[in-house]
């Protein structure tokens, strides 16, 4: 399982998830630590049909926003968020 501290103070922060088929059963925890205008964007691999609860991206837009994603092997589900 993975924890990613995302600090977008200087620039926008982008993460591309690995294909869900290669991360079955894994949890991914993301937390944005900065304030300001730069967002943290989490995206799925564009070469697959994976989604994050049906969407291609998930954005952490405010300081201390967080999300926990779970890979089923064919998609990512949001288990918890702020």
């Amino acid at each position: 399982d993975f924890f990613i501290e995302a600090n977008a103070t200087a620039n926008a922060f982008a993460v591309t998830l690995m294909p869900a088929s290669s991360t079955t059963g894994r949890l991914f925890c993301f937390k944005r630590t900065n304030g300001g205008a730069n967002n943290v964007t989490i995206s799925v691999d564009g070469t697959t049909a994976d989604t994050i609860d049906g969407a291609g991206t998930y954005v952490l837009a405010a300081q201390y926003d967080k999300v926990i994603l779970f890979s089923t092997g064919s998609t990512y589900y949001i288990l918890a968020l702020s």
Side-chain angles (χ1 to χ4, degrees), residues 17 42-44 50-58 69 75-78:
L17 297 167
I42 305 159
S43 303
V44 294
D50 298 347
T51 63
I52 302 168
D53 271 5
T57 61
Y58 186 82
L69 304 177
T75 194
Y76 289 93
Y77 286 134
I78 296 173

Side-chain angles (χ1 to χ4, degrees), residues 34-56:
N34 68 291
N38 294 328
N39 286 333
V40 173
T41 303
I42 305 159
S43 303
V44 294
D45 180 343
T47 64
T48 68
D50 298 347
T51 63
I52 302 168
D53 271 5

Side-chain angles (χ1 to χ4, degrees), residues 2-67:
F2 301 94
F3 172 76
I4 295 94
E5 177 184 348
N7 186 326
T9 300
N11 296 298
F13 189 102
V15 176
T16 302
L17 297 167
M18 296 179 287
S21 62
S22 66
T23 60
T24 303
R26 294 279 191 168
L27 291 171
F28 295 85
C29 307
F30 297 89
K31 182 167 181 108
R32 177 181 165 165
T33 57
N34 68 291
N38 294 328
N39 286 333
V40 173
T41 303
I42 305 159
S43 303
V44 294
D45 180 343
T47 64
T48 68
D50 298 347
T51 63
I52 302 168
D53 271 5
T57 61
Y58 186 82
V59 176
L60 302 175
Q63 187 174 24
Y64 305 125
D65 274 359
K66 58 196 165 293
V67 65

